[in-house]
Amino acid sequence: MINDAIIRAALRMRLATALCAAAVAALAFVGAAMAASVASPDGRIVVTVGVEEGRAYYAVAYDGAPLIAPSRLGLVFEDQHGFDRHLRIAETAASSRDETWEQPWGERRFVRDHHNELAVAFEATEGPARRMTVRFRVFDDGVGFRYEAPRQRNLKRVNIIDELTEFATPEDSTAWSIPSRGWNRYEYLYDAGPVGDIEIAHTPMTLKTAAGIYLSLHEAALVDYSAMSLKQQRPGRFKADLAPWSDGVLVRTETPFRSPWRTLHIADKATGLLNSDLVINLNEPNKLGDVSWVEPGKYVGIWWAMHIRDRSWGRDTIHGATTQETRRYIDFAAEHGFKGVLVEGWNIGWDGDWYNHGSLFSFTDAYPDFDLEALGAYAMERGVRLIGHHETSGDVANYEAQLEGALDLYEQVGVRAIKTGYVADGGLIERVDENGVRKYEWHDGQFMVDHHLRVIREAAARKISINPHEPVKDTGLRRTYPNWVTREGARGQEYNAWGQPPNPPEHTAILPFTRMLSGPMDFTPGIFDLEPNKRPPLREDMVRHDPQSRVETTLAKQLALYVVLYSPLQMAADLPENYEKRPEAFQFILDVPADWEESVALNGEIGDYVTFARKERGGEDWYIGSLTDENARTLSVPLEFLDADKTYIAEIYRDGADADWKTNPYPIAIEAREVTRETVLTLPLAPGGGAAARLRPAGK
Ligand code: NOJ
Ligand code: CA
């Protein structure tokens, strides 16, 4: 057992370290063991790193009480000595940073990176000489640490066959998680319940401890490594479980290498998780140089029509991606100021069950009724751009073989953003190995982590941004590659067209505290016809989806999603005709920006409700989005974030009288009133409801 005295000694050091920003680390000898510690700038989080009986561990305390009990660190290699035992601390190095950096686009323009760092170099006491550093960064909002193996004589090529990292969380927590290694990738409903019920979970996995502390485990900067899931070993004690290659190896690498950062968001309020930049702060700065061609914005598209069976992806009398239909969407986009028009089903390969025939996709040959060149030009004449679409059905071999030509073609017709897709039952991806043999790999294994970055780099070379669906999870790489604008990676709106069950009202009250901690999501909000499957089929030989599949929100909540669920590409997902029927509510979608100067979560509890305020990038207007689960509630929202000495007009879109997602989802009250920073807005939210508001300076 690890000596409690080490932890206590480290806690006593907290005061000393908080007093002196530079001297953040201290080495303590307790018996034969050795430990070092580092505190957050505000002193509330203290990380202790040590060796006990030759095994490396870390522990985290928050406000003087243990939060993460001593948890193992280490890596195990195939056919050679790794860093699992016989270790000692060779040296430690402490440093601090307090810098502010600017995002080209994002939830906020300026991000403060304020942390204390402790790098602990471990060396082997038996076997061939070898060294590895574990680098800790401790922020006021959490902790990141990663493994770094330098180039060294006795370690060159390395196959990692186990990562020993543990997170010994409090046993009596409630957890919000989705299962890992399931056939449906990240597209599961979140389970909320005792942490002990979890077997293996994706990250971010979020906990609320019995003491009321919020903790979320994730990773940052997942590059050339396999994604980490969390497998419960004993109650509360999770171990890193990396997605294996098809031959069982977890990560193939060579020194020097670095693991992704293992991250712990820590907060005393649920909103503390949301008002955190931990993940992007742990990523490398922009590597693409000038990225002014990456354009946040809103888009419409030939998309929902397929999901609700009005149109087809493949050849049919109801084919969606025709030249004529695309022109209709381009005209609608131009008329209303949308920047993009997504078109799915334009290329050969969609006939039949496309999700099982990825090898049939051509990414350059259009169906005969779709004129790509003409439509690209038509769109640009109207100040709009086509948004490209590459569905692979998981056949990455087929996609990679065509990738460069496919990107070249889109570049030529003026496309600046492409949605990619990796629908594949089982979550397994096809590749062809060096010997021409087909292999199946996990959607979040090292092969796909590398594939996604390959696409990002090739696309960047052509000034194209990427929005992958069925992606690998976000780990903040948008900082390093700002053309990796958004992605799916959770159950999105599409489940409300055909999901059994569809997304329940609490789903979007859980996402901000789980999936969204990783980064932006292309959820595709804005459905105005909330029960599309109640309509009769278009043709006798067709059937609608079960009407149980419907949008389980009020109309006002669809508007709230534009502010709550951040994405720099934000879709207005419904059909043009459904927007034309409700011009007053549609006005909010037209007004709301997709890029922000500042963002702040004002209130929230996981799975219950949440409110965000965001200020438009380069402007004066603020926007509010507030939503609830299946329970009605009234939220008070103080407008303290507004400028003093300014009066604002608040245009409020809230649930109308007797609104209820289930029985009466459409009533919406739209009103304008004067507010100042002294105002406390009262927002009554219906069951499954929400509210949205635009606050603009009066007289503007
Ligand atoms: C799944 C995506 O999430 C969805 O948006 C897309 O329409 C289909 N795949 C087809 O590519
Ligand atoms: Ca999907």
Side-chain angles (χ1 to χ4, degrees):
M1 268 320 284
I2 288 157
N3 199 329
D4 266 0
I6 299 173
I7 312 291
R8 282 198 301 276
L11 285 176
R12 279 196 302 279
M13 274 183 278
R14 181 170 74 116
L15 184 61
T17 54
L19 287 175
C20 174
V24 287
L27 262 183
F29 292 87
V30 181
M34 192 189 220
S37 76
V38 53
S40 56
D42 67 3
R44 294 179 72 182
I45 301 173
V46 178
V47 176
T48 305
V49 192
V51 171
E52 177 79 12
E53 293 178 357
R55 290 157 200 249
Y57 72 91
Y58 76 101
V60 182
Y62 185 56
D63 282 346
L67 178 63
I68 301 293
S71 299
R72 268 196 92 174
L73 296 167
L75 296 173
V76 181
F77 302 151
E78 185 179 48
D79 295 335
Q80 58 188 326
H81 293 272
F83 297 100
D84 46 339
R85 55 211 163 115
H86 307 309
L87 299 175
R88 72 176 203 92
I89 294 180
E91 60 185 317
T92 64
S95 60
S96 294
R97 183 185 296 171
D98 188 0
E99 275 171 22
T100 295
W101 55 277
E102 187 174 348
Q103 301 202 81
W105 51 266
E107 302 98 311
R108 59 186 52 80
R109 182 156 172 199
F110 297 106
V111 177
R112 184 175 179 197
D113 174 356
H114 188 197
H115 70 257
N116 291 328
E117 178 175 301
L118 174 66
V120 182
F122 294 94
E123 65 185 10
T125 56
E126 284 187 17
R130 58 204 188 277
R131 261 192 173 221
M132 173 190 69
T133 292
V134 186
R135 187 177 306 277
F136 284 82
R137 290 194 179 158
V138 189
F139 304 75
D140 291 346
D141 53 355
V143 177
F145 64 88
R146 74 173 178 208
Y147 300 98
E148 299 176 357
R151 186 96 188 138
Q152 50 200 292
R153 186 148 50 92
N154 296 320
L155 271 188
K156 298 262 154 54
R157 287 199 162 275
V158 169
N159 284 347
I160 299 176
I161 55 167
D162 201 7
E163 179 178 321
L164 301 178
T165 310
E166 289 179 334
F167 304 87
T169 69
E171 281 174 44
D172 47 4
S173 306
T174 302
W176 288 264
S177 68
I178 51 171
S180 175
R181 306 287 146 70
W183 69 273
N184 206 6
R185 303 161 301 264
Y186 306 106
E187 296 177 16
Y188 289 94
L189 290 174
Y190 280 82
D191 272 326
V195 70
D197 292 352
I198 295 172
E199 198 179 314
I200 181 166
H202 278 301
T203 72
M205 177 184 84
T206 302
L207 311 180
K208 183 181 182 184
T209 72
I213 294 162
Y214 296 84
L215 172 66
S216 187
L217 306 177
H218 186 45
E219 59 185 310
L222 172 55
V223 177
D224 202 18
Y225 208 82
S226 290
M228 176 181 74
S229 293
L230 297 169
K231 191 162 190 186
Q232 192 152 215
Q233 312 285 88
R234 275 176 274 149
R237 184 174 289 268
F238 288 87
K239 180 183 168 299
D241 195 289
L242 307 182
W245 283 84
S246 43
D247 65 359
V249 170
L250 303 183
V251 177
R252 312 191 120 78
T253 187
E254 61 187 295
T255 56
F257 71 85
R258 306 190 297 205
S259 76
W261 296 91
R262 279 65 191 90
T263 63
L264 304 92
H265 282 86
I266 300 170
D268 57 8
K269 291 203 290 280
T271 48
L273 299 176
L274 310 181
N275 293 320
S276 165
D277 295 310
L278 181 70
V279 171
I280 44 176
N281 267 329
L282 287 166
N283 274 271
E284 304 281 318
N286 173 13
K287 285 193 176 157
L288 299 182
D290 172 28
V291 287
S292 53
W293 46 271
V294 179
E295 291 170 357
K298 289 170 292 185
Y299 70 101
V300 293
I302 299 178
W303 177 78
W304 184 245
M306 275 84 92
H307 287 268
I308 59 174
R309 294 190 170 160
D310 276 13
R311 297 277 166 185
S312 65
W313 278 280
R315 261 180 264 244
D316 194 287
T317 58
I318 53 160
H319 183 214
T322 65
T323 300
Q324 195 190 359
E325 182 71 342
T326 308
R327 283 171 82 111
R328 184 169 82 93
Y329 273 79
I330 292 169
D331 292 343
F332 180 78
E335 185 188 341
H336 295 288
F338 290 98
K339 281 196 181 164
V341 175
L342 168 70
V343 186
E344 295 196 1
W346 67 275
N347 56 319
I348 302 283
W350 290 91
D351 304 330
D353 62 343
W354 49 267
Y355 35 87
N356 283 317
H357 294 120
S359 63
L360 301 182
F361 278 120
S362 162
F363 298 98
T364 45
D365 295 333
Y367 279 123
D369 54 355
F370 183 82
D371 189 339
L372 178 63
E373 284 79 9
L375 287 165
Y378 183 76
M380 282 194 291
E381 279 164 27
R382 280 155 187 74
V384 177
R385 283 179 194 271
L386 293 178
I387 295 184
H389 186 234
H390 288 159
E391 173 59 62
T392 66
S393 293
D395 193 329
V396 167
N398 180 45
Y399 186 37
E400 291 201 346
Q402 300 182 52
L403 182 62
E404 294 185 25
L407 294 174
D408 286 346
L409 174 63
Y410 266 146
E411 183 190 18
Q412 280 157 25
V413 299
V415 163
R416 286 282 177 86
I418 298 174
K419 170 176 169 179
T420 58
Y422 298 86
V423 171
D425 274 2
L428 291 177
I429 298 291
E430 291 176 54
R431 73 168 168 112
V432 175
D433 76 3
E434 323 65 78
N435 306 315
V437 179
R438 257 178 200 263
K439 294 277 166 69
Y440 291 89
E441 305 294 348
W442 282 105
H443 66 100
D444 58 348
Q446 186 180 13
F447 171 73
M448 281 308 281
V449 167
D450 292 349
H451 165 76
H452 283 291
L453 258 192
R454 196 170 313 137
V455 174
I456 288 294
R457 291 195 184 105
E458 288 290 342
R462 296 163 178 83
K463 296 190 169 43
I464 290 175
S465 298
I466 297 290
N467 165 17
H469 279 228
E470 302 78 40
V472 67
K473 66 188 174 184
D474 199 345
T475 57
L477 286 167
R478 62 184 155 135
R479 178 173 180 190
T480 316
Y481 302 95
N483 68 324
W484 200 338
V485 279
T486 189
R487 77 189 76 199
E488 191 187 39
R491 259 176 164 247
Q493 185 88 271
E494 61 183 2
Y495 279 82
N496 301 331
W498 40 255
Q500 299 280 359
N503 299 326
E506 68 166 9
H507 183 58
T508 46
I510 296 175
L511 287 179
F513 303 94
T514 50
R515 159 67 181 82
M516 304 305 292
L517 298 182
S518 73
M521 177 176 176
D522 187 34
F523 181 88
T524 67
I527 296 304
F528 276 19
D529 178 4
L530 301 163
E531 293 181 278
N533 296 319
K534 274 206 170 157
R535 300 169 308 150
L538 282 189
R539 272 193 335 227
E540 257 177 33
D541 61 329
M542 290 166 47
V543 271
R544 293 266 179 220
H545 298 288
D546 186 330
Q548 295 288 335
S549 298
R550 55 162 294 183
V551 183
E552 298 193 347
T553 74
T554 63
L555 181 63
K557 184 168 170 178
Q558 287 296 311
L559 303 182
L561 296 174
Y562 284 88
V563 185
V564 171
L565 300 178
Y566 168 64
S567 179
L569 291 187
Q570 199 67 286
M571 189 175 199
D574 211 339
L575 314 176
E577 48 272 38
N578 290 334
Y579 292 130
E580 277 155 359
K581 280 181 207 148
R582 298 182 188 278
E584 298 85 7
F586 187 41
Q587 188 60 46
F588 184 79
I589 298 180
L590 299 181
D591 291 340
V592 68
D595 193 20
W596 307 101
E597 191 75 28
E598 189 48 79
S599 290
V600 45
L602 300 173
N603 59 40
E605 279 300 335
I606 310 175
D608 297 339
Y609 64 95
V610 69
T611 304
F612 279 90
R614 304 189 195 269
K615 188 182 190 190
E616 76 175 311
R617 177 73 70 113
E620 291 299 316
D621 294 3
W622 281 85
Y623 288 79
I624 293 176
S626 193
L627 60 81
T628 179
D629 60 2
E630 68 283 3
N631 298 306
R633 65 185 89 231
T634 298
L635 298 178
S636 293
V637 180
L639 303 182
E640 289 157 349
F641 50 86
L642 294 178
D643 282 357
D645 313 324
K646 257 196 203 135
T647 302
Y648 293 77
I649 308 297
E651 297 161 1
I652 302 165
Y653 302 71
R654 60 173 174 78
D655 293 319
D658 301 322
D660 184 320
W661 77 264
K662 202 176 206 165
T663 54
N664 193 23
Y666 294 106
I668 186 164
I670 303 174
E671 63 205 5
R673 54 172 284 206
E674 285 197 351
V675 296
T676 67
R677 70 182 288 166
E678 269 76 52
T679 309
V680 178
L681 273 190
T682 303
L683 297 177
L685 310 178
R694 174 189 185 189
L695 280 54
R696 56 181 170 82
K700 260 193 57 201

